[in-house]
Amino acid sequence: MAAYTRPILVIMLGALAINFVLNLVSYYSSYTQAAALMQSLSSGNTPFWLELLMVCLTTLLEWLGIIGSYNFQLGTDSTEAMANLNYALAHHTAYGVPYPYLGSSLYNSFANFGGIGLALALLLAMAIVAHSYNEQRMVRANFLPVLFNGNTGLMVGLPVLLNPLYILPAVFLPMVNILIAAFAIFIHLIPTPVYWVPDGTPGPLVAYVGSNGNFVTLLFTLALLAFDVWVYIPFVRLSLAVEGRIREIDAKEDHKDV
């Protein structure tokens, strides 16, 4: 038991320190003000580099268990988004809209499959790599919720929250998706998604619905999802290897105690 005392003490002290800081921030309403600023930067016509920064910040906050500035719906409540929608309705096409690279549209359409950190890609990678009964049961239990953007069970049960093994793909892979999607829009391979998408629409179909059923957009989105799964596979293998090693150490410790 002595071997576990120091890690437990460090975790408890760290949790108390974080809780103190969060309570202090909440007392002075700093978080509310910061969230409002982030929301305004995320939904408006901000520079593209700033949109990418907001995506990284959003996914990092969600990895920490804090709600970020983007939500699960396609953003259609800003002036720029409405201008895009009006253009598409007037010209019967979403190609050539005045604001083709809105952060809210790009993020929710191409960087939010299954919820924050591209949870659907992570779950599919887990289904490919994992072999144990418990791991496959976890995949089956979370598939439908994650497909409809309900990723809480996966984020906590895998876990992904505060797991350093998943911070790189969870935070930076959505940004890569947005860069690829922005380039595809730039070369007119796909149109900018401008139409309203119902809440709960499966992540891979958001861009398809938001582009009024553009079939090329659907194929592009599925290819992007396949790329995300491929990127996640080595991280899942590493995570499973670490978990297996931890179980071996725990078994040895339990044997020594006996």
Side-chain angles (χ1 to χ4, degrees):
M1 292 299 294
Y4 298 104
T5 303
R6 182 175 296 178
I8 292 175
L9 182 61
V10 171
I11 292 173
M12 291 181 63
L13 291 176
L16 287 174
I18 294 173
N19 185 65
F20 174 77
V21 173
L22 292 177
N23 286 334
L24 191 64
V25 169
S26 177
Y27 178 79
Y28 288 104
S29 301
S30 300
Y31 179 75
T32 302
Q33 297 173 9
L37 176 61
M38 290 172 57
Q39 187 66 40
S40 64
L41 293 175
S42 302
S43 59
N45 183 32
T46 55
F48 189 66
W49 67 267
L50 185 56
E51 292 178 358
L52 293 178
L53 179 62
M54 296 307 299
V55 169
C56 285
L57 184 58
T58 294
T59 50
L60 178 61
L61 288 175
E62 293 279 359
W63 179 82
L64 291 170
I66 303 173
I67 296 176
S69 56
Y70 291 108
N71 54 35
F72 294 138
Q73 296 180 357
L74 187 64
T76 56
D77 54 349
S78 67
T79 303
E80 295 81 5
M82 290 304 300
N84 284 349
L85 179 60
N86 291 333
Y87 180 95
L89 293 174
H91 295 81
H92 306 289
T93 179
Y95 290 101
V97 294
Y99 304 100
Y101 310 115
L102 285 181
S104 55
S105 296
L106 291 176
Y107 178 81
N108 290 290
S109 299
F110 303 107
N112 198 33
F113 305 148
I116 199 70
L118 299 165
L120 181 59
L122 172 58
L123 191 67
L124 293 176
M126 177 67 69
I128 294 172
V129 174
H131 299 293
S132 73
Y133 172 76
N134 289 333
E135 292 161 351
Q136 288 296 331
R137 185 174 64 176
M138 185 275 297
V139 171
R140 291 192 298 270
N142 283 280
F143 180 75
L144 283 180
V146 169
L147 182 63
F148 293 95
N149 303 325
N151 64 339
T152 303
L154 179 66
M155 297 291 285
V156 176
L158 189 52
V160 178
L161 293 176
L162 301 178
N163 188 339
L165 297 175
Y166 289 118
I167 186 172
L168 286 179
V171 172
F172 293 106
L173 192 54
M175 184 179 68
V176 174
N177 276 20
I178 288 179
L179 285 171
I180 296 174
F183 179 74
I185 292 172
F186 175 76
I187 63 176
H188 291 130
L189 176 64
I190 60 173
T192 300
V194 298
Y195 296 97
W196 178 79
V197 179
D199 188 21
T201 300
L205 297 180
V206 170
Y208 175 70
V209 175
S211 61
N212 197 26
N214 184 279
F215 187 68
V216 176
T217 300
L218 177 61
L219 294 179
F220 173 82
T221 304
L222 294 178
L224 203 58
L225 176 60
F227 166 75
D228 296 332
V229 173
W230 175 74
V231 172
Y232 256 118
I233 284 177
F235 291 94
V236 172
R237 284 176 175 162
L238 177 61
S239 176
L240 294 179
V242 170
E243 290 179 8
R245 181 58 179 163
I246 291 175
R247 285 194 293 267
E248 291 178 2
I249 294 175
D250 289 342
K252 292 180 180 178
E253 293 291 337
D254 292 340
H255 182 72
K256 289 180 181 179
D257 291 340
V258 174

